[in-house]
């Protein structure tokens, strides 16, 4: 099993960071062609528990993910329930921890590549690709949030 772990500090209150990253359609969109659509709203809020989102990366990669836990503002989990990629997903979690004047975001994901014979070596490559993608998404969000922060008193 492969595990991805990415940690980014964002200089903003935990509630603001949680809201930004739980906005699936806005957060999971990027200049590389990644786009996301909520195909089923959550039980008590649009992006919350039970929501199903479709994530497309370019023209060929597609994931359907269900939000399986949603604890505002501390964490949310998701499970890939359908994918064009040969993988078995064991779950992902985004955790938000207040640190000083900001928020530490931890994103973890566990998966296996399901191709016989080459799955193990491809898993290592996929892990590196997911680390790069998750880091890029979090750093882009960090820049957006921090750029729109009200000026702090000196």
């Amino acid at each position: 099993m492969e595990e991805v772990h990415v940690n980014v500090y964002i200089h903003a209150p935990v509630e603001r960071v949680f809201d930004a990253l739980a906005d699936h359609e806005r957060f999971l969109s990027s200049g590389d062609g990644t786009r996301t659509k909520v195909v089923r709203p959550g039980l008590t809020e649009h992006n919350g528990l039970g929501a199903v989102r479709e994530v497309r990366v370019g023209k060929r990669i597609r994931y359907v993910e269900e939000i399986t836990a949603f604890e505002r503002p501390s964490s949310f989990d998701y499970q890939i329930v359908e994918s064009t990629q040969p993988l078995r997903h064991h779950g992902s979690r985004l955790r938000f921890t207040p640190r000083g004047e900001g928020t530490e975001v931890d994103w973890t994901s566990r998966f296996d590549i399901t191709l016989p014979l080459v799955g193990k070596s491809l898993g290592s490559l996929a892990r590196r690709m997911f680390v790069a993608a998750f880091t890029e998404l979090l750093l882009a969000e960090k820049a957006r949030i921090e750029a729109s922060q009200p000026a702090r008193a000196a």
Side-chain angles (χ1 to χ4, degrees), residues 8-107:
V8 170
Y9 178 84
I10 300 175
H11 194 87
V14 68
E15 294 83 3
R16 186 154 181 245
V17 175
F18 182 91
D19 286 344
L21 274 65
D23 182 347
H24 310 305
E25 291 178 341
R26 195 187 58 67
F27 170 58
L28 293 173
S29 297
S30 69
D32 71 355
T34 300
R35 59 199 184 285
T36 301
K37 179 170 92 170
V38 174
V39 295
R40 184 180 78 203
L43 300 171
T44 59
E45 58 183 286
H46 185 73
N47 294 308
L49 180 65
V52 175
R53 61 192 187 191
E54 179 185 62
V55 181
R56 291 191 173 268
V57 182
K59 295 181 182 193
R60 295 190 176 154
I61 300 173
R62 177 178 171 265
Y63 304 102
V64 176
E65 303 172 340
E66 182 174 359
I67 304 304
T68 57
F70 195 81
E71 298 181 30
R72 177 179 295 283
S74 60
S75 67
F76 67 88
D77 297 4
Y78 65 92
Q79 179 76 40
I80 297 174
V81 295
E82 188 179 319
S83 173
T84 57
Q85 304 300 297
L87 65 82
R88 181 181 311 108
H89 191 235
H90 299 284
S92 293
R93 169 173 280 183
L94 281 89
R95 189 178 45 191
F96 305 83
T97 306
R99 294 274 187 258
E101 295 181 5
T103 304
E104 185 175 325
V105 180
D106 281 299
W107 191 344

